[in-house]
Amino acid sequence: MPARKSSASVSLYQIKITLLELRPPIWRRVQVRSDITLGDLHEIIQTAMGWTNSHLHVFLIQGEEYGEPAPEYDWEVKNERKMKLNRVVAGEKFKFRYTYDMGDSWEHELLIEKILPAADLPRHSVCVTGKRACPPEDCGGTWGYTELVETLSDPNHPEHESMREWVGGAFNPEAFELIEVNEALQQLG
């Protein structure tokens, strides 16, 4: 059963977000207030990872699904805007899932690495570190991304130029820009 904390008990969660099924891994380490909603966490994940928030998403936490209810799609999930993170996190080393884009099925594991005291609370969420670039939207999930990287790394591949054009020019799968991520997180508030 998740720990229930009062709203007065605010702390700082250090969360490692890892995009699953890709090697080498793509991940981010963020620090967020414990009293944010899961909806706020969704926006932080989108920003830190580099996604564009163009698709449906869902959190899976101890058998419960949280997201943006969408009755027009028969999408029955608990409202993420009504659930605070500290209401579902049981403590350090707690893990849960976040899926983005139900077609490509980008599965993320979120690990609560540390719970830090309230004295360390930043004014906004921050990304501490990370590795590798986020895959481009709509590239076909892990299989499509792997194929895209292989195609772009081989200038003699018959699809090389069309894939370069599709991604908008150069794409470096090893790139990660911490300063840019934190500037974007600061814009979230």
Side-chain angles (χ1 to χ4, degrees):
M1 184 83 178
R4 302 289 184 217
K5 299 178 182 172
S6 72
S7 59
S9 176
V10 177
S11 53
L12 185 69
Y13 289 169
Q14 182 167 294
I15 305 172
K16 185 173 184 184
I17 306 163
T18 304
L19 188 53
L20 300 176
E21 300 180 19
L22 288 173
R23 291 288 174 245
I26 298 169
W27 59 273
R28 307 290 183 264
R29 180 170 286 123
V30 298
Q31 292 181 341
V32 303
R33 293 176 56 100
S34 64
D35 63 344
I36 63 172
T37 67
L38 293 176
D40 295 332
L41 182 58
H42 157 69
E43 292 174 13
I44 292 164
I45 294 167
Q46 288 287 303
T47 302
M49 290 301 294
W51 298 118
T52 63
N53 202 11
S54 305
H55 302 281
L56 292 174
H57 66 277
V58 67
F59 289 96
L60 179 60
I61 306 171
Q62 293 188 328
E64 298 288 341
E65 290 185 337
Y66 299 88
E68 293 180 40
E72 66 274 16
Y73 297 115
D74 197 27
W75 183 251
E76 293 185 33
V77 293
K78 292 186 176 186
N79 190 335
E80 66 187 17
R81 296 269 171 218
K82 295 182 178 181
M83 182 56 70
K84 293 198 180 251
L85 184 58
N86 60 7
R87 298 277 318 244
V88 294
V89 168
E92 288 185 355
K93 307 305 176 207
F94 184 77
K95 293 179 183 179
F96 57 103
R97 291 287 177 100
Y98 171 82
T99 303
Y100 173 62
D101 184 349
M102 301 314 165
D104 283 356
S105 293
W106 296 108
E107 296 284 336
H108 304 71
E109 177 184 84
L110 281 72
L111 168 65
I112 306 297
E113 291 183 313
K114 294 180 187 176
I115 299 177
L116 304 166
D120 296 333
L121 286 176
R123 291 200 328 233
H124 57 82
S125 299
V126 296
C127 184
V128 178
T129 189
K131 289 284 185 188
R132 304 188 77 230
C134 183
E137 295 278 352
D138 302 318
C139 70
T142 56
W143 179 85
Y145 177 66
T146 301
E147 187 174 290
L148 174 69
V149 170
E150 288 172 5
T151 301
L152 291 174
S153 68
D154 179 4
N156 296 319
H157 191 285
E159 308 257 332
H160 178 81
E161 282 307 314
S162 63
M163 286 295 112
R164 263 192 69 162
E165 186 177 313
W166 183 80
V167 296
F171 175 77
N172 180 358
E174 298 302 318
F176 172 67
E177 299 295 334
L178 183 62
I179 292 170
E180 289 177 18
V181 169
N182 279 313
E183 286 173 353
L185 285 170
Q186 189 172 3
Q187 297 299 314
L188 292 178

